Amino acid sequence: MRRAPPLCWQDLGWRSAPAPATAPAAGAGLRECMDHRNTTRRVRAIVRRHGPTAPFWRRRVAFLGGAIVIGLVAFAFAEAADWAARRFTMLERTWWWLPLLLTPAGFAFFAWATRRFAPDATGSGIPQVMAATRDAEHAMTSLTSAKTVVLKLILTIGAVLVGASTGREGPTVQVAASILGYAHRLARVPIRASVFIAGGAAGVAAAFNTPLAGVAFAIEELAAAYEQRMAVLVMAAVLIAGMTSLGIAGDYVYFGAMRSTLPLSQAVLAAPVAGVVGGLAGGLFARLMLAAGGSDWRPLVAVRRHKLVFAAACGLVVAVLGVTTGMTWGTGYDAARAAITGSEIAWWYAPAKFATTLATAIAGIPGGIFAPSLSVGAGVGDLVRPIFPTAPGGTIVLLGMVAYFTGVVRAPLTAVIIIAETTASRGLMLPLLAAALIADFTAQLVSKERLYHGLSLRFGTTQVQHESDDRGNGSGPRA
């Protein structure tokens, strides 16, 4: 028969009475009671630290659950943006003159709506995420708040619907960072800079179906706030978001597979040429974009003070070039794919798309520059292609794409992986890397400041915002 455990003095209600020192049985019972209590405390401490409600597990649930939501939202956003692009194409083909009215009016309206309701939704979204890493907790009140990202989604789709030369990848980064932030709030886990890094990287992976590019983006573009001890969770979030989007959309290559390779004798010449030309052009884009929002040149400051007029003027530039060429609307995906597959595109495509992308980026409306920059880069590569008539045409185009994209964002590793994954051109990794590194060096000669870093300084601090308003910069040209 099992003996009942001895009672403690405290169990009998005699909390102030000590156990009799002369009673061996009572002393043994008291020691057993104390051992039982200590064991209970240890078990509770272990459960609190390592149980299912422990911060250790809540953080992992927040990362993985948030990554799944990111994949779903990225897919839905991509579908909505593609629908908007198709609708605009139908309107433009039915009434060729309509964009001359619709696009400037749309730019002015969306610039007003952004300034009025969500100033931190303007432009790409990547600078906002970089700014958010500097003050992670406070960022959830504006830079990555629910209001900001919901309006970012709506206004970006609206911008595509009126023909803006913009993409969805940058906005996806900001939306993804916000989703992961709210997942951590829901799980009652402290929000660190690594949360926004993982969210932004997962957004890149889900938007392009390029998980490796997402990891490279986290390390390279957002490296200033990267926490090595969170590396596994960051990569897990990236991979899960990419797999979620991939599971819904299916396995696809963004620009289509390009199997051609470049002989070494041609690569040693083509990579430097494409790197220099693309780097100069990309650096020029970055410098003009930074100057549009931060230059003290009096005529430009005066123009920026009339923000809605400025936005409408940018929209008019996009409309005129779009109506004239018929090729510069939206992301420029079709032109880039045509160039990659060997079709010829007009020589003026690269400068025309450059101008419409710049006009869209500085207008003060939401929208990204990733996809349009890749399209401009394809045009740059097509301009370089005649110099190497015996080389496979698509390979030179890819060198131009990676060089121009690197010149704009100054992230050569990310650029190489994006191009390799979106075109399945892994046989060109070495020429692509050479062109990207040369372009990165060349772009520094034109624009010493990195584009996203310079733009991120205009977000997140009251001092910077006030200084911008005093000079007439405001939130309009921020991108």
Side-chain angles (χ1 to χ4, degrees):
M1 185 173 179
R2 220 175 144 186
R3 190 181 66 171
L7 295 176
C8 302
W9 293 101
Q10 290 85 345
D11 295 333
L12 297 174
W14 301 344
R15 300 188 181 277
S16 59
T22 58
L30 179 60
R31 285 193 299 272
E32 188 173 346
C33 177
M34 295 302 294
D35 290 341
H36 175 72
R37 288 191 171 188
N38 290 335
T39 302
T40 302
R41 290 194 189 99
R42 291 193 196 99
V43 170
R44 288 176 179 173
I46 292 172
V47 170
R48 281 196 302 270
R49 183 173 299 178
H50 301 290
T53 61
F56 176 86
W57 291 111
R58 294 205 306 269
R59 180 174 289 109
R60 278 149 181 77
V61 169
F63 264 103
L64 304 184
I68 294 174
V69 176
I70 288 170
L72 296 173
V73 172
F75 172 77
F77 185 33
E79 290 293 306
D82 291 343
W83 171 85
R86 290 193 299 269
R87 293 297 301 174
F88 176 79
T89 301
M90 292 174 57
L91 292 175
E92 188 263 338
R93 290 177 178 174
T94 305
W95 299 287
W96 67 266
W97 49 266
L98 184 60
L100 295 174
L101 303 176
L102 178 64
T103 304
F107 271 48
F109 172 76
F110 292 128
W112 169 82
T114 302
R115 286 179 51 80
R116 175 67 178 81
F117 299 108
D120 287 324
T122 187
S124 166
I126 295 174
Q128 289 92 317
V129 175
M130 295 178 70
T133 61
R134 296 194 287 265
D135 187 1
E137 285 291 344
H138 184 262
M140 294 299 296
T141 63
S142 181
L143 289 172
T144 56
S145 68
K147 175 184 176 182
T148 296
V149 299
V150 169
L151 288 174
K152 182 91 169 187
L153 292 171
I154 296 172
L155 295 173
T156 300
I157 294 170
V160 175
L161 192 58
V162 299
S165 178
T166 193
R168 55 179 170 81
E169 294 76 21
T172 302
V173 170
Q174 186 176 7
V175 172
S178 175
I179 290 173
L180 211 55
Y182 278 103
H184 278 67
R185 273 195 174 181
L186 186 63
R188 294 180 290 112
V189 179
I191 299 176
R192 301 170 178 169
S194 57
V195 171
F196 296 125
I197 294 172
V204 171
F208 275 119
N209 188 28
T210 54
L212 292 179
V215 175
F217 178 81
I219 297 173
E220 189 173 32
E221 190 61 43
L222 303 174
Y226 195 71
E227 298 178 51
Q228 293 295 334
R229 61 195 179 92
M230 302 298 290
V232 174
L233 289 180
V234 170
M235 287 188 283
V238 169
L239 295 175
I240 289 174
M243 290 169 58
T244 301
S245 179
L246 180 64
I248 300 173
D251 190 8
Y252 68 96
V253 180
Y254 189 82
F255 284 114
M258 214 286 292
R259 304 298 185 186
S260 301
T261 58
L262 197 60
L264 180 61
S265 59
Q266 294 177 327
V268 295
L269 295 176
V273 172
V276 170
V277 175
L280 290 174
L284 178 62
F285 181 92
R287 180 162 184 169
L288 291 175
M289 194 169 169
L290 289 169
S295 174
D296 291 327
W297 188 41
R298 289 184 180 275
L300 190 57
V301 171
V303 170
R304 286 198 303 261
R305 291 190 185 281
H306 303 86
K307 302 187 186 307
L308 299 187
V309 176
F310 180 76
C314 291
L316 185 61
V317 171
V318 173
V320 170
L321 287 173
V323 169
T324 303
T325 66
M327 296 179 62
T328 57
W329 306 113
T331 62
Y333 172 85
D334 292 334
R337 184 179 175 88
I340 292 170
T341 56
S343 302
E344 291 187 3
I345 58 177
W347 65 267
W348 41 257
Y349 177 76
K353 187 63 177 174
F354 180 101
T356 57
T357 303
L358 180 63
T360 300
I362 66 176
I365 64 175
I369 63 172
F370 263 47
S373 294
L374 292 175
S375 185
V376 176
V380 171
D382 192 69
L383 290 176
V384 175
R385 181 160 53 180
I387 302 176
F388 306 96
T390 60
T395 60
I396 306 300
V397 170
L398 293 187
L399 293 178
M401 289 176 71
V402 76
Y404 179 82
F405 187 78
T406 299
V408 173
V409 303
R410 302 281 288 283
L413 181 60
T414 302
V416 170
I417 296 177
I418 284 180
I419 297 299
E421 288 193 288
T422 56
T423 60
S425 55
R426 295 170 182 83
L428 286 172
M429 289 292 286
L430 289 180
L432 289 174
L433 182 59
L437 293 176
I438 293 171
D440 186 38
F441 174 78
T442 306
Q444 297 179 42
L445 304 178
V446 182
S447 177
K448 296 187 181 301
E449 187 172 25
R450 294 162 62 104
L451 176 62
Y452 287 139
H453 176 266
L455 295 176
S456 72
L457 297 179
R458 302 173 193 176
F459 293 95
T461 63
T462 305
Q463 179 181 1
V464 171
Q465 182 62 49
H466 288 337
E467 289 175 356
S468 295
D469 290 341
D470 292 341
R471 289 196 309 238
N473 296 345
S475 60
R478 297 187 302 181

